[in-house]
Amino acid sequence: MLSSITKNTHRHFTRISGKRLASTLVIAEPFDDGSLAPATLSTITAAQKLHDGPITILSTNPSPPDASSLPSSVKVILQPKCASSELLAETISNAIKKAQELNSYSHIVAPATKFGSNVLPRAAAVLDVSPITDIIDVLSTDTFVRPLYAGNALCKVQATEEVKALSFRSTAFDKAEVDGSDAEVTELEVEDHGLTEYISANVSKSDRPELGSASVVVSGGRGLQSGENFVLLEKLADTLNGAVGASRAAVDAGFVPNSLQVGQTGKVVAPELYIAVGISGAIQHLSGMKDSKCIVAINSDPEAPIFQVADYGLVGDLFDVVPELTKHLEGG
């Protein structure tokens, strides 16, 4: 079945360096409601910049996404079929290897999220290629730009291998337009990885927007002094219909769980509005939020580095400023 799909879409391929026909396999981030995750849509946008060949989605959910929730550039959906309904990274890597053996993709791509960082290096190792990660710009089908030194330097990298394993920073690319697709769903028989077993998952649920895709993020640092004081930020975030984040210092101090961490070792965000409260602005934190469209900093230290990247800064006691700001936004 897969080989016949390859044959049918053969006329849409373009040739790279006279060796391999251009086509891309996008590893989809797990989704909840039948539609692709925002990070996957951004990855599809990046994939569209690679070449004009077809794009295939590898679903990592028990069922494939709805065709109406896909961009029209997606031509095929691969749905792994195995004994376990929960696809671990090792099993997904097996699925990628099987798909590559059948279809010989020129590019295998994933979002540069925790999910992508878990899956892509494993898949690259199985395929015996070197991955290029956290790409923020596509210059050509084999040349890319990625940040170094916490974003203080940009590096142009050229991939010389026939198969290119890439991950894209989702905040650097717009989400692909969801205009519906007539993509064909094809099952892919995959063996479970015998050395690992899915036991359970503890997933935190929140009525607030997801941190990585929220249009407004309110983050707190060590200046809040305790986890209880994060209630101030939660009220402000709820008023703005935003998400709550934190600096590494606040996470290390035990104020909030590490799922809220923004920065080099946490999540990279680029919302329309980022409010940094009680955050000094260490370079590790700045690398995770400096691409935000508008940055507002609230800090009692006028020399705090966060003010160097802020569009608006307010020097003052956060315990006075945040409640007053929330009151005004609520119309009080």
Side-chain angles (χ1 to χ4, degrees), residues 35-157:
S35 59
L36 294 180
T40 302
L41 292 174
S42 297
T43 303
I44 292 174
T45 296
Q48 292 169 345
K49 296 176 179 290
L50 294 170
H51 51 72
D52 58 359
I55 295 175
T56 298
I57 290 288
L58 176 66
S59 171
T60 55
N61 275 57
S63 58
D66 298 330
S68 60
S69 69
L70 298 176
S72 58
S73 58
V74 176
K75 302 304 181 185
V76 179
I77 303 171
L78 293 183
Q79 182 62 44
K81 184 180 180 182
C82 60
S84 173
S85 61
E86 298 291 341
L87 295 182
L88 300 176
E90 294 83 354
T91 305
I92 297 174
S93 297
N94 290 343
I96 294 169
K97 181 182 179 182
K98 180 73 173 293
Q100 181 63 14
E101 290 172 349
L102 292 169
N103 282 333
S104 299
Y105 300 102
S106 59
H107 298 77
I108 298 174
V109 305
T113 57
K114 297 302 181 187
F115 166 81
S117 299
N118 189 20
V119 171
L120 189 71
R122 296 176 187 272
V126 169
L127 298 173
D128 196 25
V129 298
S130 300
I132 300 176
T133 59
D134 207 22
I135 294 169
I136 62 172
D137 195 13
V138 176
L139 302 182
S140 71
T141 191
D142 63 355
T143 308
F144 316 99
V145 176
R146 66 184 303 274
L148 298 174
Y149 304 113
N152 284 319
L154 299 178
C155 178
K156 183 165 70 172
V157 182

Side-chain angles (χ1 to χ4, degrees), residues 286-311:
L286 298 183
S287 67
M289 45 67 71
K290 64 182 181 182
D291 290 332
S292 303
K293 307 300 184 294
C294 180
I295 300 174
V296 176
I298 301 172
N299 202 294
S300 59
D301 179 9
E303 303 300 323
I306 190 70
F307 288 121
Q308 297 177 15
V309 299
D311 298 288

Side-chain angles (χ1 to χ4, degrees), residues 258-280:
N258 57 15
S259 60
L260 300 186
Q261 183 176 326
V262 174
Q264 185 178 12
T265 54
K267 293 184 179 179
V268 177
V269 299
E272 296 295 324
L273 174 62
Y274 187 88
I275 303 177
V277 181
I279 295 176
S280 62

Side-chain angles (χ1 to χ4, degrees), residues 127-312:
L127 298 173
D128 196 25
V129 298
S130 300
I132 300 176
T133 59
D134 207 22
I135 294 169
I136 62 172
D137 195 13
V138 176
L139 302 182
S140 71
T141 191
D142 63 355
T143 308
F144 316 99
V145 176
R146 66 184 303 274
L148 298 174
Y149 304 113
N152 284 319
L154 299 178
C155 178
K156 183 165 70 172
V157 182
Q158 185 175 33
T160 58
E161 293 174 299
E162 238 182 272
V163 180
K164 297 160 182 63
L166 315 169
S167 72
F168 296 98
R169 182 179 291 191
S170 58
T171 57
F173 299 90
D174 294 331
K175 299 178 184 64
E177 180 183 358
V178 176
D179 48 3
S181 171
D182 56 358
E184 181 176 349
V185 179
T186 303
E187 288 188 346
L188 186 66
E189 294 285 347
V190 181
E191 293 184 4
D192 283 329
H193 193 279
L195 299 180
T196 56
E197 180 185 358
Y198 176 82
I199 303 299
S200 65
N202 294 320
V203 181
S204 59
K205 297 291 184 179
S206 174
D207 294 332
R208 300 187 184 91
E210 201 275 324
L211 179 58
S213 58
S215 60
V216 177
V217 175
V218 182
S219 286
R222 192 159 40 194
L224 273 91
Q225 301 178 7
S226 71
E228 290 75 14
N229 290 329
F230 264 77
V231 173
L232 297 174
L233 303 192
E234 292 171 356
K235 290 181 179 178
L236 177 57
D238 291 342
T239 302
L240 296 170
N241 191 30
V244 174
S247 68
R248 176 171 178 172
V251 171
D252 288 347
F255 296 171
V256 291
N258 57 15
S259 60
L260 300 186
Q261 183 176 326
V262 174
Q264 185 178 12
T265 54
K267 293 184 179 179
V268 177
V269 299
E272 296 295 324
L273 174 62
Y274 187 88
I275 303 177
V277 181
I279 295 176
S280 62
I283 187 63
Q284 292 85 355
H285 184 77
L286 298 183
S287 67
M289 45 67 71
K290 64 182 181 182
D291 290 332
S292 303
K293 307 300 184 294
C294 180
I295 300 174
V296 176
I298 301 172
N299 202 294
S300 59
D301 179 9
E303 303 300 323
I306 190 70
F307 288 121
Q308 297 177 15
V309 299
D311 298 288
Y312 301 94

